[in-house]
Amino acid sequence: MQDWWRGATSTSAAAALMAALLMSVSPAASQTEVYKASRTADGKPNLNGVWQVLNTANWDLQTHAARPGAVALGAAGATPAGIGVVEGNDIPYRPEAAAKKKQNFDNRLTADPEIKCYLPGVPRATYMPYPFQIVQSPKSILIAYEFAGAARTIYMDKASPSPADSWMGHSVGRWDGDTLVVDVTSMNDETWFDRAGNFHSDALHVTERYTPRTPDALTYEASIEDPKVFSRPWKITMPLYRRLEKNAQVLEFKCVEFAEELMYGHLRKQSSK
Amino acid sequence: MNKRFLISMGGLVSAMALLAPVTVVGQTTAPTTTTAASTLARTPDGKPDLQGVWDFRTITPLERPRELGTKAFFTAEEAAAWEKDENKRQNRDLIDPEVGGLMYPPGGVVPYNEFWYDRGDKVVGTRRTSLIVDPPDGRIPPLTPEGKVQAEARAKAGRETQLGHPKADSWEDRPLQERCIMGLNAGPPMTPGAYNNNVQLVQTPEYVVILTEMVHDARIVPMDGRPFLNIPQWKGESRGRWEGDTLVVETKNFKRETSLPGSSASTHLIERFTRTDANTLLYEFTVNDPATWTRPWTAVVPMARSADPIYEYACHEGNHALGSILAGARADEKAEAAKKGSK
């Protein structure tokens, strides 16, 4: 078999025949460069599934060495080293915004909204170390995130205007070939991009692109525009991996109860003096 | 406060836009689950298409008011008269705190004025006098001895709160909805409440997601027959199946109570969703909690199709109330101590 293969590919005519054969019998084995995703009943790329990143973007979008975290947690609270997900590794802060970012970084162990179990916003919800599920129907695509039970609907059929600024924003989607493109606007200025204090204003406009690259991976890109904070648009890119466990499931992480001591502990009744 | 206010404004705008669909509920006739099943919209895999936003506001109470005795249904005239009286009785702006009214005792506080409410103002289309259809008296069945102890403690705590002295040694003394962990009407099971009476359903062949506006809960219901993990969750663990054209969702493994005050973690809940016509999703739930009630009971809530989206209700993020309740309790203690000291 092996020898036959080598012999056959040594002549161009046989190679062409082989290619034609492979194309018709087994498309997966062909040399097609662009992966063609499986389809939903309405013919759209099927993004349904439980997905999760495998990176350190939630600790710091940029390339970083390991560093200590909350002292009480020792090694368990430390920041793992990581390769950045920002194109060019540079986040183009305006000068005054760079100072704010540094201040956020210095106060990160208390000021990060994740600590308070606040809704994480977009794009951060995508790369937190928790799974999320895409539930795709023709008129709307729902993304349910495990962290804080955050959820958002991506409207595919009608783009009614956003009723008000919100934590998870207003998402309007469209298909660009096999890529789901989502415009996210109307977010408030309360969320951060990561635990390193990267932040934005309420002028944030995120354009997300979800592109199937294999049956079990998507490429996620998010372009960030926010003229109040950044001097130019910038972009992050990372793979999203399918959780392949047969019983993969987004479970409940209602984290409010884990943040209450921190938020309200000073208001607890002191034991009798 | 500001954030919550904004979102509530969204809710009110939605209420105004929804007056028409609510009227449609008012016209719905008695539920006949087999009606025109063949003409209903279906998903590509042939299941009834339950997707969209559904509005479950109504002024029909969960339990039949005692004064109605054995009367299970209103006539059209009776329903109109009852709606008029009940809408007036529910109107917080008409309650004088000194006199009291509804659940507010005389001399207490009426914490939310009418601005905050987005409840239903129409009875259900069947004109049934309660959402509970079983037991036949329309009332929650008698409590078990254990259920009675819990109910009395809850009633006492509620009275203290309404009188302006909530027990608040810590947040753990406060109900789950004040902590934004659970929203009463968010369920499971869903029951009409003060505001955010909206739910969105999204279906794939493998999952149904039930997204409630209250506390942005997305309940992901696997439809593939997978076993329960048997881990406690606030919303329990849900598994779904189709029985004919009815979506049946079974939920157990609650962490504490369900959305029903007084229920226990051992609650076994069955919810049934049936699309009875283009504009109606009939929602029926049966609660079996032998620790609390002496028998299972069932309620039916008609949901009306809504053209509006679900809004984000960032409850915890805008929760200034919980900190203020705790701070108020500490201030009361300080004042009490000062009074004792001066004597």
Side-chain angles (χ1 to χ4, degrees):
Chain A
M1 187 67 174
Q2 199 80 331
D3 288 340
W4 172 83
W5 167 268
R6 290 207 183 102
T9 51
S10 66
T11 74
S12 58
L17 181 69
M18 192 68 193
L21 197 69
L22 282 171
M23 291 282 273
S24 59
V25 175
S26 168
S30 76
Q31 294 303 301
T32 316
E33 279 184 12
V34 179
Y35 167 68
K36 188 89 175 154
S38 71
R39 304 279 135 175
T40 56
D42 63 331
K44 297 294 188 292
N46 187 348
L47 307 184
N48 280 301
V50 178
W51 305 93
Q52 192 168 342
V53 298
L54 261 179
N55 63 30
T56 60
N58 189 52
W59 282 264
D60 194 335
L61 290 175
Q62 291 168 293
T63 301
H64 57 278
R67 55 179 174 249
V71 175
L73 291 173
T79 295
I83 296 163
V85 297
V86 179
E87 210 174 69
N89 202 39
D90 178 41
I91 301 180
Y93 280 103
R94 291 182 172 283
E96 65 281 9
K100 173 84 159 61
K101 193 269 169 178
K102 186 183 175 304
Q103 189 191 6
N104 287 349
F105 182 83
D106 293 343
N107 299 326
R108 67 190 184 282
L109 296 183
T110 51
D112 180 0
E114 179 188 352
I115 294 170
K116 293 182 179 167
C117 178
Y118 285 170
L119 289 167
V122 179
R124 189 175 183 179
T126 314
Y127 49 78
M128 296 189 83
Y130 300 84
F132 62 89
Q133 183 164 346
I134 298 180
V135 185
Q136 184 179 344
S137 77
K139 286 181 188 166
S140 59
I141 297 176
L142 184 129
I143 307 186
Y145 303 90
E146 187 164 296
F147 182 81
R152 66 181 171 129
T153 297
I154 301 166
Y155 297 98
M156 300 299 289
D157 64 334
K158 55 166 186 181
S160 53
S162 166
D165 280 4
S166 63
W167 292 74
M168 296 303 290
H170 184 67
S171 295
V172 179
R174 65 179 193 277
W175 292 101
D176 175 10
D178 271 11
T179 299
L180 171 65
V181 183
V182 188
D183 262 313
V184 194
T185 54
S186 227
M187 280 178 278
N188 68 29
D189 60 0
E190 309 263 349
T191 63
W192 284 9
F193 290 118
D194 58 18
R195 295 180 183 171
N198 283 305
F199 77 104
H200 59 84
S201 79
D202 59 2
L204 177 65
H205 175 193
V206 179
T207 308
E208 300 175 285
R209 296 177 66 87
Y210 298 79
T211 309
R213 57 194 281 172
T214 76
D216 298 319
L218 308 173
T219 296
Y220 178 75
E221 295 170 275
S223 299
I224 316 284
E225 285 173 69
D226 184 344
K228 287 191 196 169
V229 175
F230 307 113
S231 56
R232 59 169 170 83
W234 51 285
K235 196 170 106 177
I236 58 173
T237 306
M238 64 191 75
L240 305 178
Y241 301 97
R242 187 187 298 279
R243 291 289 300 258
L244 289 170
E245 297 90 332
K246 273 208 176 82
N247 57 354
Q249 202 177 317
V250 171
L251 298 173
E252 187 178 85
F253 189 70
K254 277 181 173 285
C255 47
V256 169
E257 57 172 330
F258 312 135
E260 287 174 315
E261 181 68 51
L262 199 105
M263 295 176 72
Y264 307 121
H266 64 290
L267 295 170
R268 183 197 280 279
K269 183 177 185 175
Q270 301 303 307
S271 48
S272 54
K273 309 135 224 182
Chain B
M1 193 64 173
N2 201 28
K3 305 238 155 33
R4 236 173 158 177
F5 176 79
L6 265 177
I7 299 305
S8 275
M9 282 300 286
L12 285 182
V13 173
S14 148
M16 284 179 246
L18 279 175
L19 282 173
V22 168
T23 311
V24 172
V25 176
Q27 291 161 353
T28 313
T29 51
T32 46
T33 49
T34 50
T35 302
S38 57
T39 62
L40 286 177
R42 289 183 185 271
T43 56
D45 59 332
K47 299 294 188 286
D49 191 342
L50 312 181
Q51 299 182 98
V53 177
W54 301 94
D55 173 342
F56 53 94
R57 280 178 295 174
T58 175
I59 201 164
T60 299
L62 183 64
E63 288 191 276
R64 185 186 305 162
R66 285 198 193 278
E67 64 270 22
L68 293 176
T70 57
K71 188 175 191 57
F73 293 92
F74 288 122
T75 65
E77 294 72 29
E78 288 167 341
W82 193 83
E83 276 171 4
K84 191 166 168 250
D85 290 349
E86 186 64 8
N87 281 317
K88 192 175 166 194
R89 197 177 78 92
Q90 293 277 344
N91 188 320
R92 269 59 173 179
D93 291 352
L94 300 179
I95 299 172
D96 178 350
E98 288 307 315
V99 179
L102 276 180
M103 72 285 253
Y104 307 104
V109 287
V110 180
Y112 285 74
N113 68 9
E114 199 61 14
F115 172 84
W116 297 92
Y117 284 85
D118 190 21
R119 60 177 174 270
D121 60 358
K122 295 271 191 294
V123 300
V124 292
T126 55
R127 297 195 299 267
R128 197 179 269 279
T129 53
S130 62
L131 299 177
I132 293 179
V133 298
D134 181 60
D137 68 357
R139 306 280 303 177
I140 294 176
L143 292 158
T144 61
E146 190 189 330
K148 265 186 197 145
V149 173
Q150 298 290 331
E152 278 161 17
R154 215 174 52 254
K156 185 170 176 287
R159 258 193 320 275
E160 292 301 312
T161 297
Q162 304 300 354
L163 287 169
H165 304 292
K167 179 165 166 47
D169 290 354
S170 102
W171 47 93
E172 283 167 341
D173 292 328
R174 305 310 308 154
L176 296 177
Q177 74 269 19
E178 283 179 18
R179 298 163 68 188
C180 296
I181 291 174
M182 297 277 276
L184 286 180
N185 57 347
M190 294 175 271
T191 47
Y195 51 87
N196 290 354
N197 296 300
N198 299 297
V199 61
Q200 181 180 0
L201 266 63
V202 184
Q203 283 169 257
T204 71
E206 296 84 20
Y207 293 93
V208 173
V209 181
I210 302 168
L211 175 66
T212 50
E213 187 161 272
M214 186 57 98
V215 198
H216 56 78
D217 273 334
R219 187 152 50 111
I220 302 170
V221 183
M223 299 293 290
D224 57 3
R226 71 180 69 182
F228 285 89
L229 295 171
N230 296 320
I231 52 168
Q233 301 195 116
W234 289 107
K235 296 193 300 283
E237 266 194 281
S238 295
R239 297 288 182 270
R241 62 179 186 270
W242 290 97
E243 279 181 12
D245 282 348
T246 296
L247 166 68
V248 181
V249 179
E250 184 182 356
T251 305
K252 56 182 188 178
N253 300 323
F254 290 94
K255 186 166 175 172
R256 277 178 35 182
E257 67 268 38
T258 68
S259 65
L260 299 164
S263 60
S264 81
S266 58
T267 298
H268 188 159
L269 177 72
I270 302 285
E271 296 163 285
R272 303 168 67 86
F273 299 79
T274 311
R275 193 152 178 190
T276 51
D277 62 50
N279 291 313
T280 311
L281 181 68
L282 205 66
Y283 173 64
E284 180 182 337
F285 65 84
T286 299
V287 182
N288 191 359
D289 178 11
T292 305
W293 291 295
T294 49
R295 58 161 283 187
W297 54 277
T298 299
V300 173
V301 183
M303 297 186 170
R305 191 161 186 78
S306 168
D308 283 339
I310 294 281
Y311 294 132
E312 177 181 276
Y313 185 68
C315 180
H316 167 63
E317 292 78 357
N319 193 353
H320 293 251
L322 184 55
S324 300
I325 289 166
L326 294 165
R330 300 295 81 78
D332 277 355
E333 285 160 10
K334 218 170 159 182
E336 192 63 28
K339 212 161 75 184
K340 272 184 191 159
S342 70
K343 270 180 190 165

